[in-house]
Amino acid sequence: MFAIAIDGPAGAGKSTIAKDVSKRLGYIYVDTGALYRAVGLHMLRRGITAAEPERVEAELKNIDVTIHFQDGNQLVLLNEEDVSGLIRTPEVSMAASTFSALPSVREFLFDLQQELAAHNNVVMDGRDIGTVVLPKAQVKIFLTASPEERARRRFKDLEEAGKAISYEEVLKDVKERDYNDSHRAVSPLLPAADAVHFDNTGYTLEQSVEKILALVRAKD
Ligand code: C5P
């Protein structure tokens, strides 16, 4: 199996680029952030906070998160409910970021991610794919862009989805999640020692995809 791991901060363009690369190669695309979002949504619904790790751990036993692929798109199922749309809110983004700092949550999602890569050629994106989940991935990319560029992209997506939020709020969220993700004790956002660093500020989607495909070709 061939694995491409793409890690980086929120809004770096990981999912758009990874989706396109996966289509071009005929691989499956796994958006691991969506799994953390599904866990975050479940905890929000139950009124459980990340400050109660024992409750979180106990509640994980009541959660079944799976992903399905439909026309190349990933659907996230939370206890068989399709939550793919519901997890795309700023509230759930923040919940995913806080709950993902708990070791029990990371362990809970680890097997599912490894299992997917064991049976499929994958493009998988997240925060710790190259470092922890798929340390043997053939291609590892650490994708970044400036916080302002990332906030602009997120803002545009949210605006298009009809969500009422200002650019300043999105920028604040991006910076807060960057801080949470890179300062947590377990699986902090860090480039793998063998990852290729790619700052795609000012790149078009096509240019970014081409750059990654060139890295893949070099490994073939
Ligand atoms: O990528 P996305 O913004 O959807 O991820 C939501 C949150 O889930 C991130 O801010 C991060 O805290 C967490 N996450 C993680 N590890 C991953 C993917 C996402 O901790 N592999």
Side-chain angles (χ1 to χ4, degrees), residues 85-197:
L86 292 175
I87 56 175
R88 302 290 160 196
T89 65
E91 198 189 9
V92 176
S93 298
M94 208 45 84
S97 176
T98 54
F99 286 99
S100 68
L102 300 178
S104 60
V105 171
R106 306 207 70 84
E107 273 163 36
F108 175 71
L109 295 173
F110 182 78
D111 293 346
L112 170 60
Q113 297 169 76
Q114 282 216 328
E115 193 67 15
L116 286 160
H119 302 288
N120 305 277
N121 291 323
V122 288
V123 181
M124 191 175 282
D125 75 15
R127 302 293 187 287
D128 62 341
I129 309 306
T131 48
V132 177
V133 179
L134 305 177
K136 298 211 172 101
Q138 286 84 349
V139 173
K140 297 181 185 178
I141 294 132
F142 194 76
L143 191 72
T144 57
S146 69
E148 290 72 19
E149 167 106 10
R150 291 187 283 122
R152 263 195 301 278
R153 293 175 187 165
R154 270 278 143 116
F155 175 65
K156 192 164 154 271
D157 289 349
L158 290 167
E159 206 179 27
E160 277 167 17
K163 306 256 158 55
I165 187 162
S166 70
Y167 167 77
E168 286 69 28
E169 277 174 274
V170 178
L171 181 61
K172 186 171 156 281
D173 272 17
V174 161
K175 288 186 172 167
E176 199 171 326
R177 285 210 284 147
D178 279 1
Y179 186 87
N180 286 349
D181 292 352
S182 50
H183 287 80
R184 66 180 173 222
V186 218
S187 290
L189 171 65
L190 280 176
D194 52 351
V196 173
H197 291 244

Side-chain angles (χ1 to χ4, degrees), residues 1-55:
M1 292 294 133
F2 200 97
I4 303 171
I6 305 183
D7 291 301
K14 298 187 299 291
S15 59
T16 314
I17 295 169
K19 217 181 271 177
D20 211 86
V21 169
S22 71
K23 265 194 203 123
R24 302 268 283 266
L25 296 171
Y27 290 9
I28 64 163
Y29 163 54
V30 180
D31 165 10
T32 63
L35 307 175
Y36 288 92
R37 286 167 180 269
V39 170
L41 173 65
H42 181 90
M43 298 300 169
L44 281 177
R45 283 173 165 177
R46 290 282 182 282
I48 298 173
T49 71
E52 316 163 279
E54 293 86 12
R55 272 186 85 194

Side-chain angles (χ1 to χ4, degrees), residues 66-84:
T66 50
I67 59 181
H68 275 223
F69 296 94
Q70 201 175 66
D71 305 326
N73 287 318
Q74 173 187 281
L75 296 182
V76 184
L77 303 183
L78 171 62
N79 293 334
E80 298 185 11
E81 173 192 357
D82 179 2
V83 294
S84 312

Side-chain angles (χ1 to χ4, degrees), residues 39 43 55-64 104-105 108:
V39 170
M43 298 300 169
R55 272 186 85 194
V56 173
E57 194 166 350
E59 188 59 30
L60 288 171
K61 300 195 175 64
N62 302 323
I63 308 186
D64 180 40
S104 60
V105 171
F108 175 71

